[in-house]
Each structure stands twice: as C-alpha cells, then as structure tokens.
C-alpha cells in the first residue's frame, strides 16, 4: 500500500522518496547468503518506476483551438492566473519523450480512455486509424477503454486493437492498418451473462528489476447508456470498484503488490491543473471503495486536471485533448514489492517544442483530409451556437445550431419515400462544436457531428412522444444538467422546471404545426440511430415501429446547408421553460 503525501514539487518528490528509502533501508536489510558465509550481501536498492499518463485525447492530432486548446495556470505568487495554449500530438510526443529519456527501461505510458471517438476530421474521417498509428509512434503502452471507444461498436474497437481495413471504406489513411501495438484493457466489460469472459484483457503486468506492477484497465460503467446500444449487444458493463476488488487477489497470487488502476471515470475539482481542492464526482467514491492494496488511480472522462490524495491513494487526471500529461514517480520496495512512495505532477503540454517525426505524420494526415475538410458547403450570417453545459439558469435548453440540425434531419426524411417524417429530434450530446459566422466548410460540420450516425425514422404515438420528452428529466438529474433534445420546425412544447420527474411537461403544450398532439395518433419521427436504440436513456424510442434507416447525419446537414445557402438561421422559441 502506498505511503503518500500532498503533491510535492518534482525535486521535492524525488528527494523525499530517496530520504524515505534511505531511512527504510540503511543498516536494516542486510541479506545473508545462508551458505556459511559471515559476510552480509549488499543492501538491495529501491526500484523506481515512472508512469506517464494522459486521458481523453479524442483524436486531436492538430493543436486544439479555442478553450479546448488552453490550460489555466498561475502567473506567480500573487494569486493571478492566465491561459496557456496547450496540446497537439507533436507537442505531446515531445513532452512524453523528454520524460521517458530519464529512464526508458522503467517507464510506462498509459491512457485512461477516449483515446479515439468524437475526433476532429483529420482523424475521424479515417475512422481514427491515424490516432492509433500515431500512438504507436509515440510509444503508448496501455489504453484503458473509454465509452467513446465503443462509438462504432465492439467490432470496430477490436479492429483498432487487431488491425485490418475498415469493412466498408477500406484502408484510407495508409495502405494497410496494423492496429495498435499497445494494449487495450477493459476489466469490467464482459461478453457473457456469467461475467467470466472479458471483451479485452482485464489487466497487464509489467516487471521492473524483479518487481511486478499490475495495471487494471476500467471502462465507465455507464457506457451502455451513452453509446449506440446496437453496437454493444451482448456486452455487460459492471461496477468499477467491485471489479477492481475482485481482481486484487488474482494479482497478489501472481506476486503483484504494486497496483495501478487506469479508469475512464473522473471528478470535478475547483482548483488549477495540478491541484485538488474541493474534488467531487464519481471518482471520489470509487477511490474510497477500491481495495487498500490499490496504490495509484489514473482517471479521465470529465476532461478535468487534478492531482489528489484520496483514501491514501494517488489519484490523477490530465485534462483532455493532449493538453496535459501526468508524471507519476513510484518507488517500490525490492523486498515486499509494494509501493512505498507515489509522487505526481501534472505538466502542461506547451507548444514550444515539437517532435519532428510525429509532426510529419500529422501533416501527412492533414494533407489527405484537407480536400474534404476545406470545401465550402454553405454560408451563415450569424454564428450557430452549440449547447452550453450546464444549462444556464432560466434557459429552456434550445440552441440555434440544434434547430438547424433538427430542420436538416426533417428535410432529409420528410418525403414519403424517405420516411414521411413530420418531427425530428436531435440529442444535444451529438452536437460537439459551434459554427462561426461566414462560410461553412465540411470540416466544420464534421466537427459538429463526428459520430457518423444514421438518421432513423420510426412511428410513435403522441403518448410515446410525450414519454420520451419526459425522459429528458430523469429523477437523478438537476435542471442544470438536463440534456434537452432539439426539435424541428413546427414542433414545440413547454417544460416546467419545478415539476416532478415524469410530469414536467403539460401534454396540452406539445404542438405540431399549432395543433396539440393526439396521444392516440401515430406520427413519423426522425432521430439518429443512437437515440433510436435507446441511447442517452431515451428508451421510449425503442417502442417505435416501421423503422427506416436513412443517410448519415453529417450528410443530411451538408445537403440542407447547400439547399439553403445562404442560411437564414431559424428563430428560437420552439422550446419554452416555466419556473
């Protein structure tokens, strides 16, 4: 079990570790040969292992822009802060290599999930093969599977590990695709009801100077609620802490005393990137529930950066998009094989030095993607805003870009031959970025909708439509965290913030073209296939009948923007909120 202290500076951490090691070993661990020789053997030296960790890279090969490309750092001792530009694969590679050079034989590079998925066009348009190839070059060792690794289903995730060309599009980024040279881990994702067979390995054991370190990879338990259910049929996602605790005895039986959990779940701190004040969220309870034999927890999912001690365990996270990395120093007892010190620091991935090899690779991918990304498909007189989270006080949850996308979905499916839809609904989690005023490129639209979901048109009764609208307000969510679906032109309703879960919407306010919805009548509704399968817990969509699959969502938006160029942004007011 780790003996940890508050996050020290780099030099302080190493000096402290050496001082502690000296106190533990000086004159007290003389080992005799047992062969009649009265001379003591040399004292065994402690073993130092370096972990380099990051999380939620999301295929950001190029330096991310806007607020996604900065880290807030202190300006000095006056308490001030400033934003520093950060991230970009070539800069990430440089920072990792500089740390690894200190002791390459005792260094492990790990990712806490969402390495791929919801990626910018440069990676996403090639099914994230560029990200895998680039991480092979950087020297990633382990990736704990996140929820976004399941965006395109289990088979595509396995292709990322094992290689092979895409079954539909072939190999586009390179002539062949060999898959990941690093290991995907997912201890709590099982392929059978008996929960004995995992989809991917549960853990990996590395040995350093005779001392073993176990790495357990953990996927977000709630993954099944936020990815397309069709892609994960037959899989079960189990409680993270229960799974870890069941594995600890197995690791110990193999001589593992130093245990690192790499988990795609996280928390929310109130401080800066290398601090841990006011940490809250699921990672706190999980760290407290993990067996005391767990020494380090590398986390992710929330896109936050923190460096904590929780329940005497070192718990870290390194923001997102390659903007930060965590340098974790472990000092291992060569006799007991346990961790006697675990120090860490979060490092901003500044853009002052780039790795030339990785930079060349990124430029190559950009060159291949540029003709697709740069073509202009429309024009807008004003910026189109994506959803704001959490939902600002008093706002209904409707946003301008959501209206445009819902209208595009309806336009693509309203003809009888294409579905006969009269209503279209878009989940806000599928809208990932703003569109600026002026020319609209395909690359911008792809960034907004990077999941390549198919439009799906189905028949629901008026009562079932009301049911799915109420599912926007599950009992465990506050109104600030509510995810409001965006609705197409002609459809409107009012929700009441103070209303109880399951009764926030007055059916009389649900209108289609000015006429209240008839609970017993049937309506053709277009959503994306993620929603149609019950994603985001909109399970009422699974009651739909006469299901018809349509085009990819991004293609529908492109067609709509071309047909309505220049775009006249639709007015707000389709969704109203009462106190």
């Amino acid at each position: 079990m780790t003996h940890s202290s508050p996050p020290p500076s780099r030099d302080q951490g190493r000096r402290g570790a050496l001082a502690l090691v000296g106190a533990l070993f000086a004159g007290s661990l003389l080992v005799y040969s047992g062969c009649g020789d009265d001379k003591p053997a040399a004292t065994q030296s402690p073993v130092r292992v370096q972990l380099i960790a990051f999380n939620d890279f999301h295929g950001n090969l190029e330096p991310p822009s806007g607020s996604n490309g900065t880290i807030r750092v202190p300006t000095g001792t006056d308490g001030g802060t400033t934003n520093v530009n950060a991230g970009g694969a070539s800069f990430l590679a440089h920072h990792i290599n500089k740390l690894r050079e200190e002791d390459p034989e005792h260094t492990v590079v790990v990712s806490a999930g969402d390495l791929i998925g919801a990626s910018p066009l440069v990676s996403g348009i090639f099914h994230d093969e560029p990200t895998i190839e680039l991480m092979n070059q950087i020297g990633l060792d382990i990736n704990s599977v996140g929820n976004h690794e399941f965006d395109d289903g289990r088979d595509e995730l396995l292709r990322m590990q094992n290689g092979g060309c895409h079954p539909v599009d072939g190999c586009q980024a390179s002539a062949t695709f060999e898959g990941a040279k690093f290991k995907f881990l997912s201890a709590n994702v099982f392929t059978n009801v008996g929960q004995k067979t995992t989809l991917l390995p549960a853990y990996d054991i590395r040995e350093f100077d005779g001392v073993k370190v176990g790495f357990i990879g953990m996927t977000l338990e709630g993954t099944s609620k936020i990815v397309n259910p069709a892609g994960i049929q037959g899989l079960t996602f189990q409680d993270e802490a229960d799974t870890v605790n069941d594995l600890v005895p197995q690791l110990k039986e193999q001589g593992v005393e130093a245990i690192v959990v790499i988990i795609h779940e996280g928390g929310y701190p109130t401080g800066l990137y290398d601090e841990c004040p006011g940490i809250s969220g699921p990672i706190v309870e999980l760290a407290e529930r993990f067996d005391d034999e767990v020494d380090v927890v590398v986390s992710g999912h929330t896109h936050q950066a923190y460096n904590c001690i929780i329940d005497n365990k070192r718990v870290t996270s390194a923001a997102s998009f390659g903007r930060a990395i965590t340098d974790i120093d472990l000092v291992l007892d060569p006799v007991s094989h346990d961790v006697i010190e675990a120090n860490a620091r979060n490092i901003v991935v500044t853009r002052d030095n780039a790795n030339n090899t990785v930079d060349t690779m990124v430029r190559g991918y950009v060159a291949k993607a540029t003709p697709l990304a740069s073509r202009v498909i429309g024009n807008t007189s004003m910026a189109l805003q994506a959803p704001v989270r959490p939902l600002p006080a008093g706002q209904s949850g409707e946003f301008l870009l959501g209206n445009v996308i819902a209208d595009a979905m309806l336009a693509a499916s309203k003809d009888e031959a294409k579905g006969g839809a009269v209503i279209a609904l878009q989940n806000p989690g599928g809208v990932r970025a703003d569109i600026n005023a002026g020319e609209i490129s395909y690359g911008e639209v792809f960034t907004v909708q990077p999941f390549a979901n198919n439009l799906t048109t189905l028949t629901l009764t008026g009562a079932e439509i009301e049911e799915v609208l109420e599912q926007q307000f599950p009992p465990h969510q506050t109104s600030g965290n509510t995810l409001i679906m965006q609705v197409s032109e002609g459809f409107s309703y009012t929700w009441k913030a103070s209303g109880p879960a399951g009764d926030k919407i007055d059916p009389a306010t649900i209108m289609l073209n000015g006429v209240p919805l008839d609970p017993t009548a049937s309506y053709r509704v277009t959503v994306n296939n993620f929603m149609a399968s019950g994603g985001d817990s909109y399970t009422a969509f699974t009651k739909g009948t006469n299901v018809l699959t349509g085009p990819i969502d991004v293609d529908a938006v492109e067609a709509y923007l071309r047909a309505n160029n220049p775009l006249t942004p639709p007015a707000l007011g389709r969704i109203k909120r009462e106190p």
Side-chain angles (χ1 to χ4, degrees), residues 33-273:
S33 65
C35 297
D37 189 346
D38 292 332
K39 296 180 180 180
T43 301
Q44 292 179 272
S45 300
V47 177
R48 175 181 169 267
V49 175
Q50 177 179 234
L51 308 182
I52 303 172
F54 60 96
N55 51 275
D56 298 275
F57 183 69
H58 286 291
N60 276 261
L61 308 189
E62 297 180 281
S65 61
S67 60
N68 288 337
T70 62
I71 291 281
R72 182 161 290 277
V73 302
T75 56
T77 59
D78 60 352
T81 61
T82 188
N83 286 328
V84 173
N85 290 331
S90 62
F91 303 109
L92 176 68
H94 170 78
H95 281 77
I96 289 175
N97 285 344
K98 291 296 290 183
L99 289 175
R100 184 163 40 209
E101 286 172 359
E102 298 177 6
D103 193 353
E105 299 302 317
H106 291 76
T107 297
V108 183
V109 183
V110 304
S111 161
D114 281 6
L115 185 69
I116 57 175
S119 303
L121 181 140
V122 173
S123 181
I125 202 167
F126 301 124
H127 302 289
D128 276 321
E129 292 171 15
T131 295
I132 300 299
E133 293 175 343
L134 185 143
M135 288 298 161
N136 288 340
Q137 175 63 37
I138 288 177
L140 179 63
D141 293 299
I142 296 170
N143 178 54
S144 183
V145 174
N147 55 283
H148 278 286
E149 271 86 353
F150 285 99
D151 281 347
D152 292 324
R154 61 187 288 175
D155 292 342
E156 181 67 357
L157 169 57
L158 294 175
R159 188 178 76 89
M160 293 292 100
Q161 177 70 91
N162 301 322
C165 293
H166 190 271
V168 176
D169 297 327
C171 287
Q172 296 177 308
S174 304
T176 60
F177 178 60
E178 297 181 356
K181 296 178 181 179
F182 51 91
K183 291 186 177 181
F184 285 88
L185 301 181
S186 187
N188 62 326
V189 181
F190 295 87
T191 60
N192 58 350
V193 177
Q195 300 171 17
K196 294 182 179 180
T197 305
T198 56
L199 178 67
L200 291 156
Y203 56 80
D204 188 38
I205 298 175
R206 304 285 172 116
E207 187 167 333
F208 306 92
D209 299 339
V211 179
K212 296 178 179 179
V213 179
F215 298 87
I216 301 175
M218 200 64 50
T219 302
L220 177 74
E221 181 190 5
T223 294
S224 61
K225 298 178 181 178
I226 54 176
V227 302
N228 186 353
I232 57 171
Q233 286 185 359
L235 300 180
T236 58
F237 296 77
Q238 298 301 306
D239 181 86
E240 302 97 333
D242 290 346
T243 304
V244 166
N245 295 343
D246 286 343
L247 289 171
V248 167
Q250 296 183 34
L251 290 173
K252 291 177 72 67
E253 287 176 2
Q254 299 177 68
V256 176
E257 297 293 337
I259 298 175
V260 177
V261 172
I262 312 170
I263 181 171
H264 192 69
E265 180 60 286
Y268 299 92
T270 59
L272 296 179
Y273 71 98

